[in-house]
Amino acid sequence: MYRFLLSRQWVILTVVALALIPTMIELGFWQHSRYELRSARNQRVSDALHADPVPVERLTSPGHAVTAKDKYRTVTATGTFESDEEVVVRRRVNSDDEVGYHVLAPFRLTDGRVVLVNRGWIPSNGSQTAFPKIPAAPAGRTTVTGRLMADETTEASGIKNVAGLPDRQIMLIDSAEQARRLHAEVLGGYVQQTAPEPEGGTPEQISDPGREDAPLNYAYMIQWWLFAAAVPVGWWVLVRRERRERAEAAATQENPAEPEPAGV
């Protein structure tokens, strides 16, 4: 009755079905791990953003690598901007996906050390070689508030650190590189400025990191597991249909229809 399952066609179909089931189950577990990672990241970012502000010196120091736990923590820094040493970070976009620069300013703390402050985004002036016009930073002693960020790397950002750029233009924010340029003790990481707000709204401050869509991964997980469950059901439906069609064909051969008499 089911000897057709030994045919080449059905053996291949069965092997493919058996291979698909564990593959789809594994894909479901992978989406589950993505869901857990994104959920943990969202919670970590939320905790950091809502934590009480602390002086930046408590969380980082020269040569220190900002940890995932401290990333996005709200920090404060008191000192003065060194505007003459500002650089711009190329190929950065704002909330509307317009390409421009981030303005990176050395900020001299009261103890003499330096922390890098990302003041925000400015549009490109059309030239990739000329240094853009930058709105002036607050003069004199200032207290800056912002989010603590880790040094940027090509691996984490996907941005290639191109050599030979025009003067005072960089691709990645690297505190060690800036320490060599400034000949100063520079705290690891940098601060994304959130206060004080710039006059006239420029540089445009960088928005909160937002939340990753973890529920989407959960939905994909359920989808893959439903696909895995549907494979044997679909295989059995095809088997039953094949058996029925073969039975009907055999019955037709055993009892062929009598020919109708020819008309006179």
Side-chain angles (χ1 to χ4, degrees):
M1 193 177 300
Y2 291 99
R3 290 188 64 182
F4 63 87
L5 292 175
L6 299 177
S7 67
R8 177 184 176 86
Q9 175 185 355
W10 275 96
V11 168
I12 294 174
L13 180 61
T14 302
V15 169
V16 170
L18 291 175
L20 284 175
I21 293 172
T23 300
M24 291 178 175
I25 292 173
E26 184 62 28
L27 286 170
F29 279 117
W30 177 70
Q31 289 292 346
H32 182 262
S33 67
R34 292 285 299 162
Y35 165 75
E36 290 186 329
L37 285 173
R38 285 187 161 188
S39 296
R41 182 264 182 191
N42 288 340
Q43 187 60 53
R44 185 171 61 249
V45 171
S46 178
D47 291 343
L49 292 176
H50 292 91
D52 293 334
V54 297
V56 66
E57 303 94 320
R58 290 190 188 178
L59 299 181
T60 184
S61 58
H64 176 78
V66 175
T67 64
K69 178 184 176 183
D70 291 333
K71 188 177 179 181
Y72 300 115
R73 280 290 303 273
T74 301
V75 294
T76 59
T78 300
T80 54
F81 281 104
E82 298 188 340
S83 299
D84 292 342
E85 297 292 348
E86 285 180 323
V87 296
V88 292
V89 191
R90 293 164 60 100
R91 299 181 187 174
R92 300 304 167 107
V93 297
N94 64 359
S95 57
D96 296 323
D97 289 332
E98 297 173 314
V99 179
Y101 303 98
H102 280 176
V103 179
L104 188 69
F107 189 79
R108 182 75 62 174
L109 302 171
T110 54
D111 63 6
R113 295 183 297 178
V114 171
V115 62
L116 302 175
V117 176
N118 186 340
R119 295 178 54 210
W121 180 90
I122 59 172
S124 172
N125 58 9
S127 172
Q128 295 295 313
T129 57
F131 191 74
K133 183 177 180 180
I134 298 175
R141 186 182 175 92
T142 305
T143 296
V144 171
T145 302
R147 296 181 288 270
L148 181 62
M149 305 295 293
D151 287 324
E152 297 178 339
T153 64
T154 297
E155 292 75 15
S157 66
I159 300 172
K160 186 178 180 180
N161 197 8
V162 180
L165 294 176
D167 188 39
R168 296 173 65 187
Q169 295 191 26
I170 60 176
M171 296 298 298
L172 296 170
I173 302 176
D174 183 340
S175 60
E177 182 179 323
Q178 293 304 306
R180 290 189 291 269
R181 182 180 71 87
L182 297 168
H183 304 289
E185 288 188 290
V186 178
L187 275 59
Y190 65 99
V191 176
Q192 276 184 358
Q193 182 178 341
T194 58
E197 294 185 5
E199 294 184 7
T202 183
E204 180 183 320
Q205 294 189 330
I206 302 170
S207 59
D208 287 348
R211 297 179 63 85
E212 294 187 3
D213 194 0
L216 183 62
N217 293 102
Y218 195 89
Y220 287 153
M221 174 192 72
I222 298 299
Q223 184 182 63
W224 280 118
W225 288 345
L226 287 175
F227 286 162
V231 168
V233 174
W235 180 87
W236 180 243
V237 169
L238 291 176
V239 168
R240 292 295 301 272
R241 187 177 70 179
E242 180 79 5
R243 176 181 176 274
R244 183 175 65 252
E245 290 177 352
R246 286 174 177 267
E248 291 174 352
T252 301
Q253 290 177 357
E254 292 176 1
N255 302 292
E258 295 183 1
E260 295 182 359
V264 177

